[in-house]
Amino acid sequence: MSELQKRITEAFEVFDHESNKTVDVREIGTIIRSLGCCPTEGELHDMLAEVEEEEPTGYIRFEKFLPMMTKVLLDRRYRPVPEDVLLRAFEVLDEKKMGFLTKDELIKYMTEEGEPFTQEEMEEMISASVDPDKNIVPYKEYASMMVVEDY
């Protein structure tokens, strides 16, 4: 077994609670992200469609997940965004060039633009990014914290 397949197997097994080579379909996004991939919700949906059974059971079988995930990692798909690109995105949103966004600006951009965040995702982002004393997102610090180390 290759090192890559070993990593995929270990990540899958963390969520295989019954030890029967299946995981709950809702855990697949977490497994994929734990392997350093950052697909959008739409891309994740496409990946699930590729590995789900003809008659969806709510579970994904390891034998279907392994080849799909191996190919994704070998093709280096869904790579995380580099810090400089992330920083530039925040700078574009920071029209006054203050070096931060307000909590309200962040909520507006994340829920009204592009692929909107869910309430749960928004709460998670706020708790990680907003300085509670000033109610702002000092995005230079936040961007460096968000960067995923490349494998």
Side-chain angles (χ1 to χ4, degrees):
M1 184 184 304
S2 74
E3 187 60 35
L4 188 61
Q5 289 178 325
K6 187 170 178 260
R7 272 189 36 232
I8 296 167
T9 303
E10 288 170 357
F12 191 93
E13 286 174 347
V14 168
F15 294 93
D16 181 5
H17 304 299
E18 306 292 320
S19 299
N20 63 357
K21 301 250 183 257
T22 65
V23 296
D24 187 305
V25 68
R26 295 169 296 192
E27 306 283 16
I28 292 294
T30 304
I31 296 168
I32 290 169
R33 290 181 181 105
S34 78
L35 291 164
C37 294
C38 300
T40 64
E41 286 303 310
E43 291 165 335
L44 184 58
H45 182 77
D46 293 344
M47 294 167 84
L48 286 172
E50 199 177 314
V51 294
E52 264 186 318
E53 300 299 317
E54 300 286 326
E55 291 292 316
T57 60
Y59 289 88
I60 301 298
R61 292 193 340 239
F62 180 70
E63 67 205 50
K64 287 196 161 193
F65 182 76
L66 180 64
M68 180 274 298
M69 198 64 222
T70 302
K71 183 166 176 25
V72 164
L73 291 173
L74 288 174
D75 293 350
R76 300 183 63 77
R77 290 177 19 218
Y78 315 119
R79 303 305 306 150
V81 176
E83 185 174 353
D84 62 322
V85 174
L86 204 52
L87 206 48
R88 280 200 305 275
F90 275 112
E91 287 167 351
V92 167
L93 298 175
D94 179 15
E95 294 170 357
K96 297 178 190 152
K97 307 294 175 231
M98 304 288 286
F100 63 84
L101 297 176
T102 66
K103 178 181 173 183
D104 291 339
E105 287 172 326
L106 181 70
I107 291 170
K108 177 182 177 291
Y109 292 132
M110 297 294 116
T111 57
E112 296 175 14
E113 306 287 330
E115 188 175 324
F117 275 39
T118 64
Q119 183 68 34
E120 185 181 343
E121 290 168 330
M122 201 62 248
E123 287 168 8
E124 195 175 311
M125 185 173 193
I126 287 169
S127 73
S129 65
V130 175
D131 177 322
D133 299 328
K134 300 177 185 161
N135 228 19
I136 61 167
V137 180
Y139 56 78
K140 285 183 178 73
E141 294 168 29
Y142 183 58
S144 62
M145 185 179 80
M146 286 177 58
V147 176
V148 177
E149 293 302 318
D150 207 351
Y151 284 97

